[in-house]
Amino acid sequence: MSRNALVIGISTYSYERLNNLTAPGRDAEAVAQLLEKYGDFKVTRLPAVKDKHNNTIRVGKKTKVTLTQLEDAIVQLFKPNGKPPDTALLYFSGHGLRKSKGIQEGFLATSDVNPDMGSWGLSLQWLRRLLQDSEVRQQIIILDCCYAGEVLNVAEADPGERGKGRDRCFIAASRAFELAYEEIGSNHSVLTSALILGLEPSQERWVTNYTLVDLLTQQRNAFPQRPIFSNSGEPINLTRRWTAATKQSAASAKSICPYKGLAYFDCTEEDARYFYGRTALTDQLLEKVRIGNFLAVLGASGSGKSSVVRAGLLYQLQLGRRLSGSESRQIKILQPGEHPLNSLALTFVDSGLSDIERANQLAQAEDLIQKGSEG
């Protein structure tokens, strides 16, 4: 299985309004070494310089990178002339720019940017189109720069294609309107400090894109900005400790029958363990929920609507591994029954209340519902 990575750290800029940086070179080199040591990645560095002391290649801290160089390197990663890799990882550390003229656009700043002359750098819209057209099955994009979240605001060229034979991970240092910061008392940025910790495997088990975002979620309060992420498809293996494999005894599953007949799979960990074959559809539903306020799932009786909504969409929202912050969303499940308005009111009654408190809350809910749209 071929695994390629392009690791970019741009520290030097010609445009007078962009300060030269110190963290990107260190950030990129630290990530590159982890991917080589623990991930079996073939890593390309940009800018690449030869260390005079040990004759090794490292990320240059003062070397400039032009827009043409950056575009060519990214195209070579995701759309090479020959056979594409099975897994491709893009990491960028440097300045990010945001253009607000009619529409919001995000850019990765190269050393030769000059917004006054209309040169903003590499367009994140261009990057999304390239990824959509790429034949690489597993794609990881990590952007450690200001306004990096803009890459998630670009609509897919074909949202329905999402997840079909493709696994994808986006990690952005900040939301589309936010700056990204270096960590006080550290040689690295805030996001990359967390990434270094997460990519360093602690045991003989793969670090995946899902376990990596688990760590970012746990450390959310430590960030001055809010990193965001989006995962689709199956987990992507990133790093692990390559030592002698240990034998682990698997629990016998002979007494477990995962087939539920006409019953649905629910939004519980137990049911989700045995819910297979709907990854692509679940990804489509998550994308629809991310960009819109209303979603209807329609289909013939027995086709699996309840299962994909509960064990697919709702379970992934509760888990919070595919969409940033989705675990904090409030979820209410309603089955209309013979008295749909009463069932709707009951849905909003808190559990664990005394009978009197439940009756009072139910009466308030029913009163609001009877007021129609105003209620």
Side-chain angles (χ1 to χ4, degrees):
M1 186 174 184
S2 56
R3 294 158 63 83
N4 294 350
L6 173 61
V7 177
I8 306 155
I10 303 180
S11 303
T12 304
Y13 294 86
S14 302
Y15 185 55
E16 59 184 9
R17 297 183 186 177
L18 288 181
N19 297 327
N20 290 333
L21 302 171
T22 58
R26 301 190 191 101
D27 286 348
E29 184 57 33
V31 170
Q33 291 185 19
L34 285 169
L35 295 176
E36 287 176 330
K37 183 177 181 180
Y38 298 115
D40 198 29
F41 278 93
K42 179 182 177 183
V43 177
T44 299
R45 292 164 167 82
L46 190 69
V49 298
K50 183 175 287 188
D51 194 308
K52 297 179 181 179
H53 300 290
N54 53 24
N55 208 34
T56 58
I57 301 298
R58 59 175 175 79
V59 178
K61 297 179 181 178
K62 297 183 179 180
T63 308
K64 294 183 178 180
V65 176
T66 66
L67 175 58
T68 299
Q69 290 174 320
L70 182 58
E71 286 178 334
D72 289 346
I74 293 177
V75 169
Q76 180 59 30
L77 177 67
F78 290 108
K79 294 192 68 176
N81 293 326
K83 182 181 178 181
D86 297 296
T87 304
L89 184 149
L90 170 66
Y91 170 88
F92 176 90
S93 179
H95 276 303
L97 296 175
R98 193 182 192 214
K99 181 180 179 182
S100 302
K101 290 192 176 180
I103 60 173
Q104 306 291 343
E105 294 182 82
F107 297 86
L108 305 180
T110 49
S111 300
D112 55 350
V113 298
N114 188 336
D116 295 338
M117 301 297 292
S119 174
W120 289 82
L122 187 131
S123 166
L124 294 180
Q125 291 189 24
W126 174 86
L127 176 60
R128 283 299 290 257
R129 291 196 299 270
L130 180 74
L131 295 172
Q132 196 66 26
D133 200 38
S134 171
E135 295 182 3
V136 175
R137 187 171 61 85
Q138 295 185 325
Q139 303 173 355
I140 308 105
I141 299 88
I142 304 173
L143 304 180
D144 192 353
C145 60
C146 299
Y147 316 117
E150 191 66 51
V151 73
L152 294 174
N153 286 347
V154 182
E156 294 276 6
D158 178 14
E161 188 272 344
R162 185 178 168 93
K164 294 183 179 178
R166 176 181 291 165
D167 309 318
R168 185 181 284 165
C169 168
F170 287 104
I171 297 177
S174 61
R175 290 175 289 182
F177 54 86
E178 285 183 320
L179 301 176
Y181 296 91
E182 294 184 13
E183 190 170 45
I184 298 175
S186 170
N187 291 327
H188 301 289
S189 71
V190 179
L191 175 66
T192 297
S193 291
L195 290 175
I196 292 171
L197 180 63
L199 288 172
E200 178 86 37
S202 59
Q203 54 188 332
E204 289 184 37
R205 184 181 301 170
W206 278 106
V207 173
T208 71
N209 52 319
Y210 287 103
T211 59
L212 191 58
V213 300
D214 283 345
L215 176 67
L216 296 180
T217 301
Q218 292 168 9
Q219 295 190 349
R220 181 178 297 165
N221 293 334
F223 288 89
Q225 76 272 4
R226 184 191 295 177
I228 60 175
F229 59 83
S230 174
N231 285 315
S232 60
E234 300 299 328
I236 304 172
N237 293 332
L238 298 175
T239 58
R240 66 169 292 179
R241 288 195 177 273
W242 297 95
T243 58
T246 57
K247 293 183 179 180
Q248 298 180 352
S249 59
S252 173
K254 292 182 179 179
S255 61
I256 300 175
C257 177
Y259 180 62
K260 297 179 75 71
L262 291 177
Y264 55 74
F265 287 86
D266 211 343
C267 48
T268 63
E269 182 178 0
E270 179 66 21
D271 276 10
R273 286 175 57 196
Y274 300 106
F275 182 65
Y276 286 97
R278 291 291 183 265
T279 301
L281 182 54
T282 299
D283 285 338
Q284 291 181 44
L285 299 181
L286 286 164
E287 180 67 8
K288 293 289 187 182
V289 168
R290 185 181 74 83
I291 63 177
N293 294 327
F294 177 79
L295 170 65
V297 180
L298 309 177
S301 177
S303 61
K305 301 183 299 299
S306 296
S307 292
V308 77
V309 169
R310 290 171 179 260
L313 174 64
L314 296 186
Y315 180 73
Q316 290 301 329
L317 288 175
Q318 289 177 341
L319 207 58
R321 283 178 145 193
R322 294 179 183 249
L323 292 181
S324 299
S326 67
E327 72 280 2
S328 63
R329 296 191 182 195
Q330 189 177 95
I331 294 174
K332 302 289 187 182
I333 298 178
L334 160 70
Q335 291 179 314
E338 294 183 5
H339 306 284
L341 293 183
N342 181 259
S343 299
L344 177 61
L346 280 170
T347 302
F348 287 90
V349 175
D350 296 331
S351 59
L353 297 178
S354 67
D355 291 342
I356 295 177
E357 290 173 325
R358 283 178 60 83
N360 289 334
Q361 219 177 64
L362 179 60
Q364 293 174 1
E366 289 177 332
D367 183 54
L368 289 172
I369 290 171
Q370 289 175 1
K371 292 181 179 179
S373 58
E374 181 182 350

